[in-house]
Amino acid sequence: DAGVIQSPRHEVTEMGQEVTLRCKPISGHNSLFWYRQTMMRGLELLIYFNNNVPIDDSGMPEDRFSAKMPNASFSTLKIQPSEPRDSAVYFCASSFENSNQPQHFGDGTRLSIL
Amino acid sequence: AQSVTQLGSHVSVSEGALVLLRCNYSSSVPPYLFWYVQYPNQGLQLLLKYTTGATLVKGINGFEAEFKKSETSFHLTKPSAHMSDAAEYFCAVRGSGGYNKLIFGAGTRLAVHP
């Protein structure tokens, strides 16, 4: 079975540029989560969706960050404009809605803002 | 509110020795608990989970964890460490409000030396 697929795996760009990270959840999963991982702050939940609807975006650091889920098989996390402090590994995870089900993680996008 | 505390950000063991990674939680609802492992440059993989039923849970790669309600603990153990167990381990508890949100601990990095 295909797992959660994230693209790109690596992104290097200059500050001020727009960055778009993509995620394809596991087919049939109806919850999707975006995380950010850094050495300083560990694993942070940014936003999550249920049935394509954003439920809680309180973890989004500022207005430069936005996320969408136009359909059940695709989500994007966008940073505009990007800043060096946004450098991190960004993970997408998906699961069934039932709370006894685990989240399944993608391999992440390693983002470097120069 | 839910929270997770992992005691020891770094643990070092010899190959063949017992692995013990500590996790304590707080939860205002019956806890669902998870352990994940992260290998370098990869996403988080589920090791095991506790939802209901038997309090001793067996997972992949020879790991197991015991849910102790009286101690609010969910420690991860493996009788004999292998070099391939070197990774970062995360304990997580179900968040409140449904939608399968997880609250993660800060992680414990396990080193295994010959």
Side-chain angles (χ1 to χ4, degrees):
Chain A
D1 290 340
V4 175
I5 299 173
Q6 292 186 245
S7 64
R9 287 297 313 276
H10 303 274
E11 175 89 11
V12 181
T13 192
E14 294 186 347
M15 66 178 294
Q17 298 297 307
E18 179 178 291
V19 173
T20 299
L21 311 182
R22 297 172 176 81
C23 175
K24 177 178 170 57
I26 292 173
S27 178
H29 283 184
N30 59 350
S31 292
L32 184 139
F33 306 80
W34 282 101
Y35 293 88
R36 178 172 67 176
Q37 186 177 40
T38 61
M39 290 292 292
M40 292 297 294
R41 301 173 69 91
L43 191 65
E44 302 173 275
L45 177 64
L46 301 178
I47 185 172
Y48 65 98
F49 296 83
N50 184 253
N51 294 326
N52 313 337
V53 175
I55 301 300
D56 184 353
D57 66 354
S58 61
M60 297 285 261
E62 47 196 283
D63 292 345
R64 297 185 296 106
F65 286 70
S66 63
K68 295 181 179 179
M69 192 164 185
N71 57 62
S73 59
F74 184 65
S75 177
T76 59
L77 178 68
K78 186 173 294 187
I79 309 173
Q80 167 64 18
S82 58
E83 297 183 4
R85 60 194 169 116
D86 302 330
S87 298
V89 182
Y90 291 81
F91 289 104
C92 175
S94 71
S95 74
F96 293 109
E97 180 177 348
N98 295 337
S99 57
N100 64 353
Q101 296 299 312
Q103 294 181 16
H104 297 260
F105 282 73
D107 284 335
T109 295
R110 184 172 297 275
L111 178 64
S112 297
I113 308 297
L114 306 178
Chain B
Q2 281 68 33
S3 68
V4 174
T5 301
Q6 291 185 239
L7 298 175
S9 59
H10 291 80
V11 171
S12 181
V13 300
S14 299
E15 191 174 21
L18 171 71
V19 176
L20 171 60
L21 304 182
R22 299 179 187 274
C23 173
N24 289 90
Y25 70 90
S26 67
S27 179
S28 57
V29 296
Y32 291 171
L33 296 156
F34 304 82
W35 274 101
Y36 283 83
V37 60
Q38 184 180 27
Y39 299 103
N41 300 315
Q42 295 186 24
L44 280 68
Q45 301 175 29
L46 181 70
L47 270 179
L48 49 81
K49 67 176 183 178
Y50 168 79
T51 54
T52 58
T55 56
L56 182 62
V57 181
K58 295 186 183 299
I60 62 172
N61 302 338
F63 284 92
E64 61 183 34
E66 185 170 12
F67 168 63
K68 292 187 176 180
K69 184 177 180 180
S70 61
E71 299 177 8
T72 62
S73 69
F74 191 56
H75 302 330
L76 182 71
T77 61
K78 182 174 181 178
S80 177
H82 191 273
M83 298 295 288
S84 61
D85 295 326
E88 188 153 20
Y89 293 79
F90 293 90
C91 181
V93 66
R94 173 185 63 163
S96 60
Y99 302 114
N100 208 8
K101 175 181 175 180
L102 294 178
I103 309 300
F104 283 90
T108 296
R109 187 168 297 277
L110 175 67
V112 182
H113 50 87

